[in-house]
Amino acid sequence: MPPFTEETARKKVQAAEDAWNSLDPMRVAQAYTEDSMWRNRSTFLQGRPAIQAFLQAKWSREQNYRLKKHYFTHSDNKIAVTFQYEYQSTLDSKWYRAYGNEHWTFDDAGYMKERNASINDVEIAENERFISDEVNVERFSSGTFLG
């Protein structure tokens, strides 16, 4: 819970990564306030039901989804992360890597009340994937993933 230290902020980032990799919209949504405000690319959402519906639709289009988040910085009630995720699109069966930044703001109880995410996708070949159970993504600890 806020105020965050670097240690508690890093734990919050890892917990978010674990929740998103579960592909369980209800589990992810529980980390947010009931009226949480989101910007995800050009989509604006408010509230847990909207977040759950968004994630359900997202993960139905993005198969074999795998995410890695990296702590960037924090203040008393804010955390910034960089992240990358890879997925195979159900629309064209191609593989993509998404690169992004998130800014999170938390309430006093430690629930995220604001999430602002900027994300860009790059098409990749399947053999260019590096976020998988077989690859130690910790080697990309800078969070840049410019490989």
Side-chain angles (χ1 to χ4, degrees):
M1 286 192 273
F4 294 113
T5 64
E6 183 174 336
E7 179 184 359
T8 59
R10 287 181 182 275
K11 286 180 181 179
K12 200 70 144 167
V13 172
Q14 186 61 58
E17 177 184 310
D18 293 344
W20 280 71
N21 279 326
S22 77
L23 307 181
D24 180 348
M26 290 187 73
R27 177 179 172 190
V28 173
Q30 293 307 306
Y32 299 91
T33 61
E34 291 287 342
D35 61 347
S36 185
M37 301 280 294
W38 270 34
R39 182 184 69 80
N40 192 89
R41 300 176 191 250
S42 61
T43 301
F44 294 83
L45 307 168
Q46 184 171 9
R48 284 183 184 166
I51 292 167
Q52 289 175 4
F54 173 85
L55 293 173
Q56 186 70 42
K58 170 186 175 59
W59 289 323
S60 71
R61 295 184 311 271
E62 298 177 358
Q63 299 295 297
N64 302 305
Y65 178 95
R66 182 86 161 117
L67 166 74
K68 182 63 186 164
K69 291 185 183 281
H70 289 276
Y71 165 87
F72 185 75
T73 192
H74 76 282
S75 65
D76 286 348
N77 72 331
K78 297 178 186 284
I79 299 174
V81 301
T82 62
F83 64 90
Q84 300 75 33
Y85 63 86
E86 295 172 344
Y87 65 94
Q88 187 175 24
S89 172
T90 59
L91 302 175
D92 60 14
S93 297
K94 293 180 181 178
W95 283 93
Y96 294 89
R97 182 175 306 122
Y99 296 86
N101 299 295
E102 288 178 306
H103 301 139
W104 303 338
T105 303
F106 295 85
D107 70 6
D108 291 339
Y111 291 97
M112 196 182 304
K113 63 181 181 179
E114 293 178 11
R115 175 183 175 264
N116 185 338
S118 297
I119 307 165
N120 298 295
D121 295 294
V122 177
E123 185 179 328
I124 60 172
E126 184 173 5
N127 66 355
E128 294 176 306
R129 294 176 59 220
F130 57 69
I131 305 175
S132 70
D133 292 332
E134 295 77 37
V135 176
N136 178 8
V137 295
E138 293 309 316
R139 68 187 171 126
F140 303 102
S141 61
S142 68
T144 59
F145 280 74
L146 294 177

